[in-house]
Amino acid sequence: MTGPVRPVIVLFGSSIVQYSFGNGGWGAKLADIYSRQADVVLRGYEGWNSMQACQVLATVFPEDAVVQPSLVIVYFGGNDSCTPLPDGWSPHVDLPEYVENMRRIGLHIRNLSETTRVIFLSCPPVNENMLEEPALRTYEACRDYSNACIEMCDELSHTDPSFRVIDLFNAIQQHHDWAHTLLVDGVHFSPVASDIVAAEIVRVINEADWEPSLSVGDLPTEFEEVVYPIQPIDPTIV
């Protein structure tokens, strides 16, 4: 662990998260936005579904960790929504089980500390015409899993404002020609799509009535800006 201790933002999910630190990815954009203010940590696992995420919850987010995250952004759903196959080679998770898995993930993370917040990202749409196996992922299934995630989070946030959700299914489709310009392979995000995701996350953080605030404008910048001629840095100033 390096110091000083900053707020920690963890990205937890499947390939949409794992790839988010790539060139132009939304995770990299968040790390840039929060540079010198918060640490953005990647915990993304390509091909995973919500069931596998539940199996490692206590390992990825131990309850006795010295430093707990200030915010966890959770995305699972695209793989869960895949069509079940007879041979079992599908990450499909039935919709009711998916909802309960996401609820379990959210509650575990929220209970890590009094100030840990959770933002769910709902399932984005797919462009079936670009998929190598179009029957495995469908636009309609993504819509159903997105709606279920949003409904589940709305229930949680009704009693606990620490929960927020971003409707990626509709946010992505607000862009002109989204199916061809925002999804590089029919599923994963282009840099333009990542701009939308990062902007939505920042918007939700800014609108949330969280204490302490996680808005960039409210967080201190670590150490003083360099002023020339260079002056000695006072290590007590953060």
Side-chain angles (χ1 to χ4, degrees):
M1 182 67 187
T2 57
V5 176
R6 304 174 178 178
V8 176
I9 300 173
V10 181
L11 316 181
F12 181 48
S14 55
S15 57
I16 291 290
V17 171
Q18 180 176 324
Y19 299 166
S20 72
F21 268 29
N23 185 32
W26 60 272
K29 295 177 188 295
L30 285 179
D32 180 50
I33 291 169
Y34 278 94
S35 62
R36 295 181 65 175
Q37 293 185 309
D39 290 329
V40 180
V41 178
L42 184 66
R43 291 295 182 269
Y45 306 96
E46 180 182 5
W48 278 36
N49 58 27
S50 61
M51 178 182 63
Q52 292 164 309
C54 286
Q55 293 171 350
V56 301
L57 265 180
T59 301
V60 178
F61 299 103
E63 296 178 353
D64 59 352
V66 175
V67 177
Q68 295 292 3
S70 298
L71 171 64
V72 180
I73 300 172
V74 180
Y75 169 75
F76 292 98
N79 294 322
D80 299 71
S81 71
C82 286
T83 304
L85 300 177
D87 59 9
W89 288 99
S90 170
H92 174 78
V93 173
D94 288 340
L95 189 56
E97 182 182 356
Y98 164 73
V99 170
E100 290 311 307
N101 288 344
M102 295 297 279
R103 189 190 311 275
R104 177 183 171 188
I105 292 168
L107 291 175
H108 175 88
I109 293 170
R110 175 65 186 94
N111 289 331
L112 293 175
S113 78
E114 291 184 359
T115 56
T116 298
R117 317 302 182 191
V118 181
I119 295 177
F120 291 102
L121 304 180
S122 82
C123 188
V126 296
N127 180 354
E128 296 179 38
N129 294 325
M130 296 178 67
L131 302 179
E132 294 182 3
E133 299 178 277
L136 190 60
R137 297 175 186 266
T138 68
Y139 176 92
E140 290 76 14
C142 290
R143 178 197 59 208
D144 293 344
Y145 279 68
S146 174
N147 289 339
C149 179
I150 293 168
E151 182 178 347
M152 180 275 303
C153 185
D154 285 345
E155 292 175 1
L156 292 177
S157 62
H158 183 71
T159 56
D160 187 346
S162 299
F163 294 99
R164 290 287 189 276
V165 65
I166 294 174
D167 181 356
L168 285 189
F169 187 81
N170 286 301
I172 291 296
Q173 294 183 78
Q174 297 305 307
H175 191 276
H176 173 67
D177 198 23
W178 65 268
H180 299 96
T181 59
L182 299 191
L183 305 176
V184 295
D185 55 4
V187 175
H188 298 102
F189 297 150
S190 70
V192 176
S194 284
D195 285 339
I196 294 173
V197 177
E200 284 294 297
I201 291 170
V202 170
R203 177 188 62 80
V204 168
I205 291 173
N206 289 341
E207 292 177 355
D209 186 20
W210 290 339
E211 185 60 41
S213 171
L214 294 176
S215 297
V216 171
D218 295 332
L219 292 175
T221 298
E222 192 171 280
F223 299 128
E224 295 178 315
E225 298 287 345
V226 173
V227 179
Y228 293 93
I230 296 177
Q231 303 295 322
I233 294 176
D234 182 348
T236 64
I237 300 176
V238 178

